[in-house]
Structures are given as structure tokens and as C-alpha cells.
Amino acid sequence: MKNKYFEQKNFVKNYIYAITIFIITLVIGISIFFNVVQASVEKNSRETLITNVTQQSEHLNTILNINYSYLNVLAQELSKSEDLFSENNISLIKAFMENTDLNRTAIIDSDGNALGNALYDNNVVKNVAHRRYFKESMQGKQSLSDPLESSVDQQTRVILSVPIYKNNQVIGVVGGSYNVTKLGNMLFDDLFNGQGKSFIVDQDGNLITRDKKYEKKHNIKTIDNLFGICDEKEVKTDFNQQESDLIQIQTKKNKSLYLAYSPLKINDWMICYIVPVHVAQESYTFIKHYETLLATFLGLIVLSLMIYLAHSNSRENKYLIHLSEIDPLTSVFNKETTQKLIDQKLKNHEHFCFLILDVDDFKSVNDNYGHAVGDKVLKNLSDLFKNHFRQTDIVGRIGGDEFIILIEDEHIAESRIQSLLKKVNKLKIEELQDFKLSISVGMAFAPSNGTTFMELYRHADHALYQTKRTGKNNYKIYKNDEN
């Protein structure tokens, strides 16, 4: 009854322990899963958007530089004519406009008079002497104007201008307007299937380009300054220092949007890109992989717990039984188990050989080399005995340096003992130096010399005494007629 009580108590204890481990593991697993997913989404979203915005900023710069190159080539051709406004030059700029992305191209003389497919109105002379881009180009620089709203099509444009040289003197300027809103949208059309929008902002947050349709679609209030919807010190600092970054903003309807920005390196402008968060995260298929891993992980945990609950009690009992049967020093059977197992086999009335083995002069080993060395000798001898005899034979230690072995096949007993004696003599223990190990053996046979453990033990012990008396390192067989 007591054993059953303890078995039931251990089972309940193991069950509670397993359930607790399961719950803790489940909570930790789910927490780790969501944290990893969220961190991965945020990281990949930021990297994708910032990388793309930075690349498109460089791309836009490249496009503008290419157009500057076109204008410089055109300026060289225009300078060959004595009259900047000659028909040939007017034809050149018209052909130039038709074959490049620049439009409303014009020739501007040194007084600021613009003519041609004009920057403002077709074939109308305008004076632009007061414009910054004209002044800078007359000083020999390439220039980009502030954003201008065309009076012809009400589109926001910038003007690229370069000086026209003749005899190393600036004699005029050639310029062309560029629709930067169209350019910005074109650069980002392939990103997220065109579901985001780009715009250009100056250093103070003022919008140079905008998309009113996009603002209306996502219920973003109409603004003229970006800082009106993201009044954050970090953003203003990034704009002042011309740094790239990404922030998350909320619309009136609590929609989450990513806003990425990067410097254009032109007039301290920043190119920005805005896209809904759910759109930016659509392509992250790795989430499904995480879900699969989590499901697999939880499934394995549940399966493991079921197996554990089914077998833990049995396994623990077997382990405890095993520990109770084994001699802790030598890992062979202890005295109680050795006697029990031998008595069980003797009940079958079969023929066995019963051995008692004793280490010769073991006391001197302990006295001269210490008990630690003595324990090492016993461990090495027990390993030798287990390896020398078969698994069906019983090997046990009944105390001190005394071992009991029951051999099932009595016909091979003597040959096994003879080879064992030689192996023991060859066994080397480093600490023993030149000390030669040996054992003495006493043998008795069942059922002729006894049918119980104690009978065989008494007779084998008598044979062992004879071995010791006649010189040790040998074996003797018990004889029924001995006195």
C-alpha cells in the first residue's frame, strides 16, 4: 500500500511538472514568435523603404545630371551662331525638346530675355534676369531653380540651366523645365505596385511636389508643410542634417503609413515616399514560415508531453529499481540483488558454476597506495569481469574486495577462470607501479554442491580458502570429500 501511495504521488508530481513546463514553454514560444515576427517586419520594412528611397534619390540625381549634359552639348551648338536667337538655334532647341525629357526649352541672352519654346509661354519673350537660376548660370554655374508653377499647364516644374560660352565668356543661358512630380512618381511606380506616392520637400518641410488625389484617397489632410503631420524633432533634425530615415504616421482614420525620406543633394531638398504599412508588409512571406515553425514546435511539445506522461512513471521506477540493484562503486550487482538473482536461477535446478573471487593482498593496496587507488582497482576489476563473462552470467560484489559470479555453462567454467587469471595479471593500474594484481577463486557447482545461494557460497568459500592457503593467484574446486 505504501509503495502504491508513493507511485501515485510521483505520478501526480510528474504530471503537474509536465503541464507547468508545457504552459511555460507555450507562452515563451508564442512571445518569442511574435517578437521575432514584429522585429523582422519592422527591420525589413525600414531597410526596403530606406534603401529604395535612397537609390531613387541617387537615380533622380543621375537623371538630372544626364539632362545637364544634354544642355551643355546644346549650349556648345548654340554658341556657334552669331545670333543666339537665330532660326537655326530656335530649330535646335525645338528638336532638343522633342528628343529629351526636358520641355519648354529656351535660350536666354545676357540681358535675361528668354525666347524659343519658352519656359513660360510658347514663342513669347520673357525677361528672367531676376531669377536665381539665370544669375547663377551667368556666373558660369549649372543651376536648378526653385519649384515653379507653369502658367501654361499649372504643373510644378523646376528649370535646369547651364551657361553658353563663347571665347571663354558667358554670352547667355540655355534652360529647360522638368516635371519633377512626374519624375518622382515614375521612379517609384514599380515599388509596391505603385500603391505608394513620392513627393519632394525642402529643408523646412515645405512640399515642392504633391499628389492631391493620393491625399484624398488616404484621408490625409491637405498640407503645405510636412512637419504639420509629423512634428517630430528627429525628422526636423534629419532634414537639417540631410539624413535618411523612416517614421510611421497615423491618418485621420487611424491608418498606419510609412514615411521614408532621403536627401536629394540638390538645393537641400529631400525626396519622400509614403505607403500604407499593410502594403509594405504584404511581401513578407517569411511570416508563414514562422507560423509553420511555431505550429511544428507546439506539436512536438504536445507529442513529447504525451509520451513523457505515458512513460515517465515507468521510466523513473525502472531507474530507481536499477539504482537499488547496483553497487555504487563498481556498477555490478550489489549483495542483495546478487543473492536474489542467483536463488531465482537455482530454482530451475539447472547446472551452474558458482564462483567467489577475492583480490590478493588487497589490504596492502589500501595501506600502501590509499583507499582511492583501492577503489580504482575494484572498478577496473569489475569492468574486466563484466566484459569477460557473458551477459547471461551474474556478476556481483558482496562486500570489500569479494565478488560473486554465477556461470550458466559449467563446462566452460574452468577455461574461463584460467583466462581470467591471466587477464588480471596483465591489468595495469598506473598508481600501483610494479605491483602485480592477482585474484584467488573458489568454485562450487549446482546442484551437486548445493541448490541455494548460501549452500554454494559456503562451499565455494571453502574452496577459496584452499586457494589462498596454497599460494593464491589460482582457483580451487570444492570437493565433497574434503575435510
Side-chain angles (χ1 to χ4, degrees):
M1 180 65 72
K2 188 175 181 180
N3 288 336
K4 289 183 179 180
Y5 167 76
F6 282 112
E7 288 177 5
Q8 182 68 23
K9 186 176 180 181
N10 284 335
F11 178 79
V12 173
K13 179 181 177 182
N14 292 335
Y15 182 83
I16 294 173
Y17 177 77
I19 292 299
T20 303
I21 292 296
F22 171 74
I23 294 173
I24 293 173
T25 305
L26 183 63
V27 172
I28 292 174
I30 292 175
S31 299
I32 292 174
F33 169 74
F34 284 111
N35 287 334
V36 169
V37 168
Q38 186 60 34
S40 297
V41 167
E42 289 295 329
K43 180 182 177 182
N44 283 275
S45 297
R46 290 175 66 89
E47 289 179 352
T48 299
L49 286 172
I50 292 176
T51 300
N52 275 279
V53 171
T54 301
Q55 289 176 345
Q56 300 301 18
S57 171
E58 295 172 354
H59 191 188
L60 194 148
N61 263 293
T62 301
I63 291 174
L64 292 178
N65 287 329
I66 290 172
N67 284 286
Y68 274 126
S69 299
Y70 293 158
L71 286 172
N72 282 316
V73 172
L74 178 61
Q76 291 177 9
E77 292 299 319
L78 294 175
S79 67
K80 295 177 181 179
S81 176
E82 293 297 329
D83 180 9
L84 281 179
F85 296 146
S86 67
E87 290 185 8
N88 183 58
N89 282 356
I90 297 298
S91 298
L92 275 175
I93 62 171
K94 287 182 178 179
F96 178 81
M97 183 195 71
E98 293 172 357
N99 291 282
T100 66
D101 292 330
L102 289 167
N103 46 38
R104 304 200 180 282
T105 312
I107 304 169
I108 309 170
D109 64 17
S110 58
D111 295 325
N113 297 310
L115 183 66
N117 190 333
L119 298 173
Y120 300 96
D121 297 289
N122 288 333
N123 300 322
V124 176
V125 176
K126 286 276 189 176
N127 189 279
V128 295
H130 61 290
R131 298 293 187 184
R132 176 181 57 81
Y133 68 85
F134 171 74
K135 294 177 181 179
E136 289 180 354
S137 292
M138 287 301 296
Q139 295 173 4
K141 301 176 183 177
Q142 294 182 162
S143 184
L144 184 71
S145 74
D146 293 326
L148 302 169
E149 186 172 300
S150 172
S151 58
V152 177
D153 56 11
Q154 286 75 48
Q155 291 291 317
T156 302
R157 303 172 186 274
V158 290
I159 298 172
L160 287 71
S161 62
V162 300
I164 301 174
Y165 284 95
K166 192 167 187 177
N167 298 325
N168 295 323
Q169 294 292 324
V170 178
I171 61 171
V173 174
V174 63
S177 65
Y178 210 110
N179 189 332
V180 288
T181 302
K182 181 180 178 181
L183 174 62
N185 290 337
M186 178 189 70
L187 293 175
F188 287 92
D189 277 346
D190 293 336
L191 185 61
F192 303 121
N193 296 319
Q195 297 185 67
K197 282 296 177 182
S198 66
F199 51 94
I200 298 174
V201 182
D202 66 19
Q203 192 175 27
D204 298 321
N206 298 312
L207 271 68
I208 295 172
T209 64
R210 67 190 312 155
D211 191 323
K212 294 182 180 179
K213 290 183 179 179
Y214 189 83
E215 293 174 359
K216 185 177 181 180
K217 178 181 177 181
H218 293 282
N219 203 21
I220 302 173
K221 64 181 181 179
T222 302
I223 57 169
D224 295 319
N225 191 287
L226 179 66
F227 299 151
I229 60 171
C230 56
D231 187 17
E232 299 182 18
K233 291 182 179 180
E234 291 81 0
V235 178
K236 292 180 179 179
T237 301
D238 287 340
F239 272 51
N240 287 329
Q241 297 179 356
Q242 296 287 285
E243 297 288 343
S244 301
D245 206 348
L246 175 144
I247 62 169
Q248 189 170 328
I249 59 177
Q250 298 291 125
T251 66
K252 290 180 180 179
K253 292 185 178 180
N254 290 323
K255 289 184 178 179
S256 295
L257 302 174
Y258 280 136
L259 172 65
Y261 48 85
S262 184
L264 267 176
K265 300 177 183 177
I266 299 174
N267 295 347
D268 293 329
W269 292 351
M270 302 287 284
I271 185 167
C272 303
Y273 180 75
I274 193 167
V275 64
V277 170
H278 71 90
V279 173
Q281 296 177 0
E282 280 179 353
S283 60
Y284 295 110
T285 55
F286 63 88
I287 292 178
K288 294 182 180 179
H289 298 305
Y290 280 124
E291 290 174 343
T292 302
L293 288 174
L294 178 61
T296 303
F297 173 73
L298 294 179
L300 290 174
I301 291 295
V302 172
L303 180 62
S304 299
L305 283 174
M306 292 175 62
I307 296 173
Y308 174 79
L309 291 175
H311 297 287
S312 61
N313 191 52
S314 174
R315 184 173 61 250
E316 184 176 345
N317 288 339
K318 288 180 180 179
Y319 179 68
L320 292 175
I321 292 172
H322 174 73
L323 289 180
S324 67
E325 294 176 342
I326 298 301
D327 175 59
L329 176 63
T330 61
S331 297
V332 297
F333 290 120
N334 57 26
K335 179 180 179 180
E336 293 77 9
T337 304
T338 301
Q339 183 174 348
K340 181 182 70 174
L341 292 176
I342 289 177
D343 277 331
Q344 287 176 352
K345 286 205 173 189
L346 292 175
K347 288 179 182 179
N348 297 327
H349 303 288
E350 295 180 7
H351 292 266
F352 298 103
C353 178
F354 186 96
L355 307 176
I356 297 180
L357 296 82
D358 185 276
V359 182
D360 296 331
D361 301 317
F362 186 69
K363 184 177 183 301
S364 66
V365 172
N366 282 330
D367 291 343
N368 296 325
Y369 300 99
H371 287 278
V373 176
D375 290 345
K376 186 175 181 180
V377 170
L378 295 177
K379 290 178 184 178
N380 280 266
L381 285 173
S382 62
D383 290 339
L384 176 60
F385 298 159
K386 285 190 294 183
N387 293 328
H388 183 72
F389 295 99
R390 296 173 300 184
Q391 289 185 347
T392 54
D393 298 333
I394 297 172
V395 179
R397 177 183 177 225
I398 60 174
D401 60 325
E402 194 171 65
F403 292 84
I404 296 292
I405 297 174
L406 185 74
I407 302 176
E408 289 191 347
D409 189 349
E410 62 174 346
H411 301 293
I412 65 170
E414 284 197 68
S415 63
R416 301 297 292 171
I417 292 301
Q418 291 168 0
S419 63
L420 178 63
L421 291 171
K422 295 177 181 179
K423 287 182 179 180
V424 172
N425 293 156
K426 295 178 181 179
L427 185 63
K428 298 295 182 182
I429 305 295
E430 183 179 353
E431 291 83 355
L432 293 183
Q433 299 173 359
D434 296 331
F435 185 90
K436 184 178 180 180
L437 281 175
S438 64
I439 59 173
S440 295
V441 182
M443 303 172 60
F445 292 91
S448 59
N449 299 140
T451 58
T452 66
F453 176 88
M454 291 309 299
E455 287 179 333
L456 291 169
Y457 179 84
R458 186 171 61 254
H459 294 150
D461 186 55
H462 183 78
L464 174 64
Y465 173 75
Q466 297 297 324
T467 304
K468 292 282 190 180
R469 192 177 65 176
T470 57
K472 305 177 183 179
N473 193 26
N474 206 343
Y475 69 96
K476 292 291 183 180
I477 300 173
Y478 174 75
K479 302 289 185 175
N480 285 333
D481 57 348
E482 286 185 15
N483 295 322

